Amino acid sequence: MKTLPQVLAVLTTAVATALVSSVANAAVLPASQTQSSWFTAGAEAVAAKVAEARNTGTAKNIIFFVGDGMGVSTLTAARIYQGQVAGNSGEENRLSFETFPYSALSKTYSVNQQTPDSAPTMTAMITGVKTEDGMLSVSSESIRGNCLSSKGNELKTALELAEDLGKSTGIISTARITHATPAATYAHTPERDWEADSNLTAEAVANGCHDIAYQLVMDAPGDGLEVALGGGRSYFLPNTVIDGEGAKGRRADGNDLTAAWGEKFTNAAYVWNKEAFDAVDASTTDHLLGLFEASHMQYEADRADDTAGEPSLAEMTSKAIDILKKNDKGYFLMVEGGRIDHAHHAGNAARALADTVALSDAVQAAMDKVDLQDTLIIVSADHSHTFTIAGYPARGNPILGLVHEPNDETISTTPAMAADNLPYTTLGYTNGPGAKTGARDDLTAIDTTEVDFLQQAQVPLSSETHAAEDVAIYAAGPGAWLFQGSVEQNVIFHVMNQAGALGGSKY
């Protein structure tokens, strides 16, 4: 009996032979077609796919990138934005992970909502089980906000399985590391808002539920996380403490969890600014906690102006890999671009796109560090937003600008007009703070590319909402080929479990 790799090799050869035969028997095409750069590029892309072999080995390392709120329209706009920043038309550009060989679509609904929040979506991706909105790594048998109901309904995460195998683990986020997406990797709670003990209800305290920050340090799985980098410093500090940037702690129990980190773990370091982060020696540091803001970290567009300085998402990713890779058994790392979501909620496309590019840069930093023969990299999103790319702008039209339609082979100097005789932007939102109850603002003399500009929206809301359409999955490395077609969001866990041999099986 042939082994799976042998069967795949035979199939690959057969497909290649069939394609060659098909080309040989094809009709002769006109030179205007075959000499086109589009035709050549398309043929080369297919040839590369034919030559590509599936990596059916085991993933020693898994790096899971999550762009919070990074829907397909966000990817498209960010791709163009990055290309235009580099001085090109933008449409032909590709984000780093868009070069990955395998992709799929992920269905994001939760157990109780068509349009989900980040808690059940990340729970699905990290445990293999869908749950209800607002709950982290507990099943839908739990009741949101009820501690007792969650007892016995905890779901084991991929990060915890990696810890069980003796692997090193880490989480990174530009949001608070107690926020929904990073928290779902290590915490179990029926309420995503229980980030500090001061957020707990009397019922939660009485029934022994711990807050999320406490769980990260004191209830950590295995020998504890090796890396935890992001925002949320106030949730780890007592309310009697003022931090280095003047913010007051939120803990009512008197615990300083930043100090507890150093006491609990060996070769441990805690840092809160860029200078201290840069000084960390990865070769001698085995447990690194970095909390760079009292709440969320700065948007990428504003990071350079931060008082104490903050590392970029790419810098945090690179440092984390240097610490984690010292373990011969491998590692599991989750990296979140958390503020893509926040910028969209604010109706602020410029910051959302800059943070998406920052996530792409972090993926590239990981690709530069690892060997894809033994490292599985997955990039996906928890949900989308009501973010649109509309009108008929000419190719190369500024993605953040007003719509200017083509004029022969140039861009019209006059903006396109809507039925209300006012110009409009390419990017917009279905709902959010950019909407008005009266007539639209005249954008003729407005710089819509300015970072603080809020795109116009249809339905007035104080905060733009999530959207329910599928999001993309991109993957490279061992097991990446398992991502094909349209899948339920919880399948992501099962691919990581299968490819990484994490042992999370009922069989």
Side-chain angles (χ1 to χ4, degrees), residues 15 79 383 503:
V15 170
R79 168 199 312 153
H383 54 74

Side-chain angles (χ1 to χ4, degrees), residues 339-351:
R339 306 222 63 194
I340 301 167
D341 174 73
H342 299 160
H344 277 322
H345 280 308
N348 182 201
R351 285 187 172 88

Side-chain angles (χ1 to χ4, degrees), residues 356-387:
T356 304
V357 171
L359 179 70
S360 174
D361 291 342
V363 175
Q364 185 62 56
M367 292 167 63
D368 292 341
K369 287 267 184 183
V370 307
D371 183 351
L372 289 176
Q373 285 301 113
D374 67 3
T375 301
L376 170 63
I377 299 181
I378 302 168
V379 182
S380 192
D382 47 358
H383 54 74
S384 183
H385 276 269
T386 70
F387 179 61

Side-chain angles (χ1 to χ4, degrees), residues 207-270:
N207 286 304
C209 277
H210 292 155
D211 63 270
I212 294 169
Y214 186 94
Q215 289 188 54
L216 188 150
V217 178
M218 306 307 293
D219 297 338
D223 64 353
L225 278 69
E226 278 66 32
V227 175
L229 301 172
R233 187 167 56 232
S234 64
Y235 296 82
F236 292 78
L237 295 174
N239 55 19
T240 56
V241 170
I242 303 297
D243 70 20
E245 291 183 300
K248 187 178 180 180
R250 293 174 177 263
R251 301 199 65 80
D253 59 8
N255 283 324
D256 182 342
L257 295 178
T258 64
W261 177 274
E263 295 164 0
K264 183 170 182 176
F265 304 122
T266 57
N267 300 324
Y270 162 65

Side-chain angles (χ1 to χ4, degrees), residues 443-456:
L443 301 178
T444 303
I446 302 296
D447 182 5
T448 63
T449 67
E450 204 274 325
V451 71
D452 290 322
F453 178 76
L454 302 187
Q455 275 66 31
Q456 293 179 332

